[in-house]
Structures are given as C-alpha cells and as structure tokens.
Amino acid sequence: MEQVKDIVEDVLKKGQIAFSGLETSETAGQKIITIKADNPKILIGTRGETIRAIDYLVKKIAEQKGVEDLYFLVDINDYRLKQIEDLQNKARMMAERAKSFEYDVELAPMSAYERLIVHTALSEMEGIQTESQGEGRNRRIVIRYIS
C-alpha cells in the first residue's frame, strides 16, 4: 500500500495539485487512499469524473510498476467513502423491506463496482440472497427473500 501511496503523491506533485496529506483505510473489502485537500471540488469534478480519472491513472501506473494488489480506491476528503456508505445503507434498507414484506426487491441499474458493494454489504444478512440480472447498462441487483 505504501508503493501506491507514493504513486498517488507523485501524480499529485507532478500535476501541481495542492493537497495536505494522504490517509489509508479500508471499507467494504476495499483499501482506500484518501487525498486530503482544502479545495476538493476541483479534484472531485462534476459527478466525481475527475476523481475517477485520477483513480484510473494511479491504477495504470501501479500496474506498470508491477504492483500486485490493484484492489484499491483513490478518494478525496471521503467523497467516495460517503457514496459507499450511502449505497450500503440503501441496500440494507431494501433488504429489510424484502424480509418484512417477504418479496423480491429489484434495484435500479448500477455499475459493476456498485453491485459489488451491494453484494458484499448483504452477503452476511440472514434470509437474504442477492443476484445480478440483466445485461450491459441495464444490469441490476435483485434482493431475494429466502424463507
């Protein structure tokens, strides 16, 4: 993880991007490197486009440098962490709904990464099973009640 932190720091310095520090944490089975910045809006971009681009760039550089564990996420001031937590809370709420009404709940289409978060969040929940259905952009999760 230190090697990845060095790559993030190098990318920020070469891009002349101001930041006050880097922190590491883990959530939903994902290692997170958080960039602390005074002006996060510039680094996050419209709907998170810039932070996703930074994440992609860091992963490509890490891959070229032979970093074996590429399962990490670059975040800025906990922006993506809050999105993960919101998604986990929504998934748990929908799972509780499926359990109390004893029927399947179909979620809106989401990315593979978001589906992974939901599957992970609900994997330990008793009486609930998740499965992905659909193709391409319409791929979604169905939360099944199991008696």
Side-chain angles (χ1 to χ4, degrees):
M1 198 64 160
E2 282 303 312
Q3 189 178 7
V4 176
K5 271 180 79 172
D6 292 342
I7 293 169
V8 172
E9 190 170 343
D10 192 44
V11 166
L12 294 172
K13 285 180 179 176
K14 285 183 177 173
Q16 299 179 345
I17 299 168
F19 68 101
S20 57
L22 298 173
E23 295 177 1
T24 56
S25 61
E26 192 169 321
T27 189
Q30 182 108 30
K31 295 175 193 111
I32 300 174
I33 299 169
T34 303
I35 301 167
K36 295 297 179 182
D38 293 332
N39 191 0
K41 283 186 176 184
I42 293 170
L43 290 174
I44 293 169
T46 306
R47 289 186 226 114
E49 290 171 359
T50 306
I51 186 57
R52 282 194 298 278
I54 292 170
D55 182 74
Y56 178 79
L57 179 64
V58 169
K59 284 181 177 154
K60 284 298 179 188
I61 293 169
E63 186 178 343
Q64 286 181 346
K65 290 192 174 197
V67 174
E68 290 183 21
D69 186 7
L70 295 174
Y71 294 103
F72 63 86
L73 188 68
V74 177
D75 194 3
I76 296 175
N77 290 7
D78 297 328
Y79 171 80
R80 295 176 93 181
L81 181 63
K82 289 173 189 160
Q83 286 183 322
I84 290 169
E85 289 171 352
D86 288 347
L87 187 56
Q88 288 173 322
N89 290 335
K90 178 183 176 185
R92 287 186 193 106
M93 181 182 71
M94 298 307 272
E96 288 299 327
R97 182 177 289 172
K99 281 172 80 171
S100 55
F101 293 113
E102 298 184 3
Y103 68 89
D104 298 345
V105 175
E106 193 172 295
L107 301 180
M110 53 183 75
S111 70
Y113 174 68
E114 291 169 324
R115 290 193 312 274
L116 175 65
I117 291 169
V118 172
H119 285 302
T120 305
L122 301 181
S123 65
E124 304 281 321
M125 191 173 253
E126 210 171 297
I128 291 295
Q129 182 180 13
T130 60
E131 81 178 50
S132 292
Q133 290 183 344
E135 297 295 322
R137 296 183 134 203
N138 290 322
R139 195 136 171 93
R140 64 186 74 233
I141 288 184
V142 176
I143 302 171
R144 299 203 182 281
Y145 167 73
I146 302 170
S147 55

